[in-house]
Amino acid sequence: MKYPIIIAGPCSVESEEQILATARALAQIPQVTMLRGGIWKPRTRPDAFEGRGEQGLAWLREAKQQTGLPTVTEVATPEHVELALRYDIDALWIGARTVVNPFSVQQLADALRGVDIPVFIKNPVSPDLNLWLGAIERFQKAGLMQLAAIHRGFSYYKETPYRNFPMWEIPIELTQRLNVPLITDVSHICGNRELLQATAQKALDLATDGLMIECHINPDAALTDAKQQVSPEELKLLLANLNFRAKQTGSVEHDLASLRGEIDDIDSELLQLLARRMEVSAQIGEYKKSHNVTVVQMDRWKKILDDHVATGKEMGLSPELINKVFEAVHQASIERQSRIMEAGEDID
């Protein structure tokens, strides 16, 4: 499989005319490597368009025959797997709602046992790294070797510009734990075509191995997820404006070695400073205990944090970073001092 992988096509295969027209247009974009199309589309609520089923598979096969683009679709049941293979689908993906259920994942892994086909596993709806890891591991144990992860963002309790919040740290952690390629589904992260360009570039900057982008011959008329789909012309422009960065190998890796060494040294210094800070915090806890002073003085802490944010801003650091770092350090200090108050911990 060549990289970067660019998977493009409509959210749903709606009609023969729609998928063939979209596929022919995509075949003219050299970066596009695979044609996607949703065949089974169970919606959150009933009575909405839920896909064309087996008829759509026939149209997807015809699109491949006309354009030469390999095809990929979502499967959620062993019956879906059987039909997709019957219609010569080249690759499969497992959706976010399926990945949350290990029983369903195991059924799909068993259905594909002994089949040599690429399988892409999306992250679960919730930000649960272990569920995602477990789904991939189930397919590995079934003997499937051509596996990749798809990052499509996560449900989030706060309001954000995204349909599904990226939480980039989770896919990065996954690739550190499992040696599988990572594809970023920017359409489902964004939910809005206006955010696609910046989000796709962010994904590439974080060394994703490919992108999945929903593309429809007439996006505004799409039966599902119209707002996040782009036309083939818009996709061509989007891809042309992306900076596809080289993987860090060879001479690039050598050039970065000294900078990485410097980062390692700085990290070591940070750890030593954090250890020293916790020692002082523990001494403060002993003093508070002996003088019957409460662990937390919120007025003082608020002033300290405000001062840190202001100083950090002058140094080019974002308030979000300063808040996150010092809130974590402060919470660790509170927990340490609370243990001293409760148990009378001795300080050397």
Side-chain angles (χ1 to χ4, degrees), residues 196-239:
L196 289 174
Q197 186 81 54
T199 306
Q201 187 61 63
K202 173 76 170 180
L204 293 172
D205 292 346
L206 292 173
T208 192
D209 297 287
L211 301 170
M212 179 179 277
I213 306 176
E214 292 186 348
C215 181
H216 191 293
I217 198 66
N218 184 6
D220 290 332
L223 298 180
T224 55
D225 290 345
K227 291 182 180 180
Q228 66 190 40
Q229 299 192 66
V230 294
S231 69
E233 293 79 12
E234 290 169 327
L235 177 65
K236 184 176 180 180
L237 182 62
L238 185 155
L239 294 173

XYZ file of all heavy atoms in Angstrom, residues 196-239:
329
model
N -11.810 21.786 6.761
C -11.064 20.639 6.246
C -9.600 20.960 5.943
O -8.709 20.178 6.282
C -11.734 20.093 4.973
C -13.069 19.383 5.159
C -13.672 19.030 3.803
C -12.898 18.115 5.999
N -9.341 22.084 5.289
C -7.976 22.401 4.863
C -7.026 22.455 6.053
O -5.985 21.789 6.066
C -7.961 23.732 4.112
C -6.604 24.083 3.501
C -6.358 23.367 2.187
O -7.157 23.436 1.270
N -5.238 22.658 2.085
N -7.371 23.242 7.055
C -6.484 23.400 8.207
C -6.332 22.101 8.984
O -5.238 21.765 9.458
C -7.015 24.502 9.122
N -7.421 21.352 9.097
C -7.363 20.107 9.869
C -6.553 19.042 9.144
O -5.789 18.287 9.760
C -8.788 19.598 10.159
O -9.542 20.636 10.783
C -8.760 18.385 11.076
N -6.691 18.989 7.831
C -5.896 18.033 7.047
C -4.412 18.351 7.167
O -3.577 17.448 7.311
C -6.339 18.059 5.591
N -4.058 19.642 7.125
C -2.647 20.007 7.261
C -2.130 19.664 8.648
O -0.999 19.180 8.802
C -2.460 21.491 6.979
C -0.993 21.912 6.926
C -0.242 21.192 5.817
O -0.549 21.343 4.641
N 0.754 20.384 6.194
N -2.953 19.905 9.667
C -2.561 19.550 11.033
C -2.282 18.049 11.134
O -1.286 17.626 11.737
C -3.680 19.936 12.002
C -3.490 19.483 13.438
C -2.491 20.312 14.168
C -2.501 20.006 15.660
N -1.526 20.813 16.401
N -3.146 17.246 10.530
C -2.952 15.791 10.561
C -1.643 15.399 9.892
O -0.884 14.570 10.406
C -4.133 15.102 9.888
N -1.364 16.008 8.744
C -0.130 15.686 8.027
C 1.096 16.142 8.818
O 2.117 15.460 8.833
C -0.136 16.344 6.643
C -1.173 15.795 5.655
C -1.208 16.650 4.401
C -0.872 14.339 5.297
N 0.993 17.283 9.484
C 2.106 17.765 10.292
C 2.409 16.828 11.449
O 3.550 16.761 11.920
C 1.795 19.160 10.843
C 1.744 20.221 9.748
O 2.206 19.933 8.622
O 1.238 21.325 10.015
N 1.385 16.088 11.906
C 1.568 15.129 12.996
C 1.917 13.736 12.477
O 1.835 12.758 13.195
C 0.291 15.075 13.850
C -0.003 16.351 14.638
C -1.367 16.256 15.307
C 1.081 16.606 15.680
N 2.281 13.666 11.188
C 2.809 12.434 10.574
C 1.761 11.348 10.364
O 2.053 10.165 10.476
C 3.991 11.894 11.377
N 0.523 11.737 10.058
C -0.459 10.746 9.657
C -0.028 10.119 8.331
O 0.680 10.745 7.534
C -1.862 11.386 9.526
O -2.846 10.366 9.418
C -1.960 12.280 8.306
N -0.453 8.891 8.103
C -0.061 8.184 6.878
C -1.059 8.375 5.748
O -0.837 7.855 4.642
C 0.089 6.688 7.175
C 1.200 6.423 8.180
O 2.368 6.545 7.794
O 0.890 6.124 9.344
N -2.150 9.076 6.006
C -3.133 9.279 4.946
C -4.335 10.044 5.444
O -4.469 10.328 6.640
N -5.206 10.373 4.511
C -6.412 11.129 4.821
C -7.621 10.435 4.215
O -7.540 9.837 3.137
C -6.320 12.544 4.241
C -5.162 13.431 4.710
C -5.094 14.694 3.853
C -5.319 13.794 6.181
N -8.750 10.511 4.921
C -10.041 10.116 4.359
C -10.883 11.385 4.278
O -11.066 12.081 5.282
C -10.733 9.057 5.220
C -12.105 8.637 4.675
S -12.933 7.354 5.680
C -12.155 5.877 5.020
N -11.349 11.711 3.063
C -12.098 12.938 2.839
C -13.340 12.602 2.020
O -13.243 11.998 0.947
C -11.250 13.985 2.090
C -9.926 14.238 2.829
C -12.035 15.286 1.923
C -8.985 15.177 2.104
N -14.491 13.002 2.530
C -15.733 12.707 1.823
C -15.930 13.675 0.661
O -15.821 14.897 0.836
C -16.909 12.761 2.787
C -16.871 11.627 3.792
C -18.083 11.531 4.679
O -18.884 12.480 4.700
O -18.235 10.496 5.354
N -16.214 13.101 -0.499
C -16.320 13.876 -1.734
C -17.535 13.401 -2.522
O -17.719 12.192 -2.727
C -15.042 13.716 -2.554
S -15.018 14.637 -4.099
N -18.346 14.337 -2.964
C -19.627 14.051 -3.635
C -19.710 14.919 -4.886
O -19.301 16.079 -4.869
C -20.756 14.371 -2.654
C -22.118 13.907 -3.054
N -22.812 14.427 -4.129
C -22.947 12.982 -2.492
C -23.998 13.849 -4.216
N -24.101 12.960 -3.236
N -20.253 14.384 -5.949
C -20.358 15.140 -7.196
C -21.233 16.389 -7.036
O -21.058 17.386 -7.726
C -20.888 14.237 -8.338
C -20.587 14.849 -9.705
C -22.345 13.890 -8.143
C -19.108 14.933 -10.034
N -22.160 16.342 -6.070
C -23.018 17.487 -5.771
C -23.245 17.520 -4.261
O -24.300 17.113 -3.770
C -24.341 17.373 -6.522
C -25.233 18.579 -6.333
O -24.824 19.573 -5.726
N -26.462 18.511 -6.825
N -22.267 18.011 -3.502
C -22.304 17.872 -2.036
C -23.565 18.407 -1.371
O -24.081 17.789 -0.430
C -21.074 18.673 -1.580
C -20.194 18.746 -2.765
C -21.070 18.724 -3.962
N -24.056 19.549 -1.818
C -25.217 20.150 -1.155
C -26.475 19.308 -1.289
O -27.422 19.474 -0.518
C -25.464 21.559 -1.699
C -24.373 22.537 -1.269
O -23.778 22.313 -0.201
O -24.113 23.498 -2.017
N -26.481 18.393 -2.258
C -27.641 17.525 -2.459
C -27.451 16.150 -1.829
O -28.304 15.266 -1.986
C -27.922 17.369 -3.960
N -26.344 15.950 -1.107
C -26.058 14.642 -0.511
C -27.137 14.230 0.476
O -27.679 15.063 1.206
C -24.698 14.666 0.183
N -27.450 12.951 0.509
C -28.485 12.440 1.395
C -27.998 12.258 2.831
O -28.815 12.137 3.746
C -29.020 11.108 0.851
C -29.702 11.159 -0.527
C -30.189 9.779 -0.939
C -30.849 12.158 -0.532
N -26.676 12.230 3.024
C -26.103 12.117 4.374
C -24.893 13.035 4.479
O -24.087 13.136 3.551
C -25.670 10.667 4.701
O -24.766 10.202 3.684
C -26.862 9.727 4.755
N -24.760 13.692 5.608
C -23.579 14.503 5.946
C -23.168 15.480 4.842
O -21.983 15.587 4.487
C -22.399 13.598 6.300
C -22.604 12.871 7.625
O -23.514 13.272 8.392
O -21.874 11.902 7.887
N -24.134 16.217 4.330
C -23.862 17.131 3.215
C -22.828 18.200 3.578
O -21.967 18.554 2.761
C -25.160 17.788 2.758
N -22.899 18.733 4.800
C -22.057 19.878 5.169
C -20.571 19.553 5.187
O -19.733 20.447 5.043
C -22.474 20.421 6.537
C -23.843 21.094 6.542
C -24.166 21.642 7.935
C -25.527 22.320 7.952
N -25.856 22.858 9.306
N -20.223 18.300 5.384
C -18.811 17.966 5.502
C -18.214 17.431 4.204
O -17.017 17.143 4.146
C -18.585 16.950 6.627
C -19.191 15.579 6.380
C -19.150 14.710 7.625
O -19.387 15.194 8.733
N -18.842 13.432 7.469
N -19.006 17.325 3.158
C -18.514 16.808 1.891
C -18.108 17.941 0.953
O -18.640 19.047 1.031
C -19.572 15.921 1.231
C -19.944 14.714 2.090
C -20.767 13.689 1.345
O -20.287 13.056 0.413
N -22.010 13.513 1.769
N -17.155 17.647 0.079
C -16.691 18.622 -0.905
C -16.879 18.050 -2.307
O -16.997 16.832 -2.492
C -15.206 18.980 -0.696
C -15.007 19.711 0.618
C -14.320 17.733 -0.755
N -16.892 18.917 -3.293
C -16.956 18.481 -4.688
C -15.576 18.009 -5.125
O -14.563 18.342 -4.500
C -17.409 19.636 -5.574
O -16.397 20.622 -5.633
N -15.482 17.255 -6.219
C -14.157 16.860 -6.715
C -13.257 18.055 -7.011
O -12.048 18.003 -6.752
C -14.485 16.074 -7.986
C -15.849 15.497 -7.722
C -16.565 16.563 -6.952
N -13.819 19.138 -7.524
C -13.015 20.333 -7.803
C -12.458 20.925 -6.502
O -11.286 21.332 -6.439
C -13.865 21.380 -8.520
C -14.299 20.985 -9.924
C -15.475 20.017 -9.933
O -16.114 19.824 -8.854
O -15.762 19.438 -10.997
N -13.284 20.960 -5.472
C -12.822 21.471 -4.181
C -11.770 20.557 -3.569
O -10.800 21.022 -2.946
C -14.008 21.628 -3.229
C -14.959 22.756 -3.626
C -16.265 22.729 -2.848
O -16.736 21.617 -2.507
O -16.819 23.818 -2.608
N -11.944 19.259 -3.727
C -10.956 18.314 -3.207
C -9.617 18.487 -3.922
O -8.558 18.470 -3.274
C -11.448 16.878 -3.383
C -10.463 15.797 -2.938
C -10.217 15.868 -1.428
C -10.962 14.405 -3.316
N -9.657 18.655 -5.222
C -8.420 18.845 -5.993
C -7.655 20.063 -5.488
O -6.436 20.014 -5.295
C -8.759 19.004 -7.469
C -7.537 19.116 -8.374
C -7.967 19.176 -9.835
C -6.750 19.278 -10.748
N -7.151 19.329 -12.184
N -8.368 21.161 -5.229
C -7.744 22.380 -4.727
C -7.213 22.169 -3.314
O -6.098 22.609 -2.983
C -8.755 23.524 -4.755
C -8.248 24.896 -4.296
C -7.135 25.383 -5.215
C -9.395 25.899 -4.264
N -7.989 21.494 -2.473
C -7.570 21.221 -1.096
C -6.256 20.437 -1.084
O -5.311 20.791 -0.372
C -8.670 20.454 -0.369
C -8.500 20.162 1.136
C -9.864 19.986 1.798
C -7.658 18.917 1.397
N -6.187 19.377 -1.873
C -4.994 18.535 -1.898
C -3.793 19.295 -2.457
O -2.663 19.128 -1.979
C -5.248 17.270 -2.716
C -6.276 16.291 -2.130
C -6.557 15.164 -3.115
C -5.797 15.725 -0.798
